[in-house]
Amino acid sequence: GANSATTTNTRYKMEGDIPTLSLTNFFVMGIKIGWPYPTVMSPQRQMAFHLIKALNSSKHVVLESPTGTGKSAAILCSVLAWQRHHWKKSGEKKEKVKIIYCSRTHS
C-alpha cells in the first residue's frame, strides 16, 4: 500500500549520482531511494518510512536507534531522495526546502 516500504533487487543508476555507483532500488511511499548497499535492514526501512512521512507533512522527526543500525545511511539516503522528488514535483516554481540534520553520539 501507500504506507509500505518495498525493495526490489534491481540495481540502477539515479540521475545526479556518482556515475560508477550502483544502487539498489528502494521505494518508500512512492519515493525512489538510492541505496548503496545490497540489502536494507528492517530498522533502516522503519527510519525511511518515518522520515518520508514527516517530510511529506512538513513535520519534525526524532529518531533513536542503537549503534550499527544504519541511521546515517537511512537518514541521508531518504532525505536526499525526498528532496530530489520534491524538487522534480514542484514544477516551474522549484520551491526550496530547508532540511536540518543534527546528530549526537554518546562517547
Side-chain angles (χ1 to χ4, degrees):
N3 292 337
S4 64
T6 59
T7 303
T8 61
N9 291 329
T10 305
R11 305 286 277 177
Y12 69 98
K13 299 196 184 328
M14 292 178 68
E15 179 184 326
D17 288 326
I18 300 169
T20 58
L21 184 62
S22 183
L23 301 173
T24 300
N25 199 358
F26 175 42
F27 289 88
V28 173
M29 299 176 73
I31 295 177
K32 188 186 315 183
I33 299 174
W35 194 252
Y37 304 103
T39 59
V40 183
M41 297 185 297
S42 180
Q44 294 164 328
R45 289 177 194 273
Q46 292 171 358
M47 284 183 259
F49 173 76
H50 289 290
L51 285 159
I52 298 299
K53 183 178 174 183
L55 288 164
N56 281 340
S57 58
S58 300
K59 302 286 183 183
H60 296 117
V61 64
V62 175
L63 301 171
E64 184 177 17
S65 191
T67 301
T69 55
K71 292 179 293 297
S72 295
I75 293 167
L76 291 171
C77 291
S78 299
V79 169
L80 292 173
W82 181 87
Q83 185 182 47
R84 181 181 313 185
H85 175 81
H86 182 76
W87 178 262
K88 288 180 179 179
K89 192 174 99 174
S90 65
E92 293 288 322
K93 62 181 181 171
K94 296 296 183 203
E95 179 185 355
K96 291 184 180 180
V97 176
K98 183 186 291 188
I99 298 170
I100 300 171
Y101 170 39
C102 300
S103 177
R104 183 185 184 287
T105 58
H106 297 278
S107 55

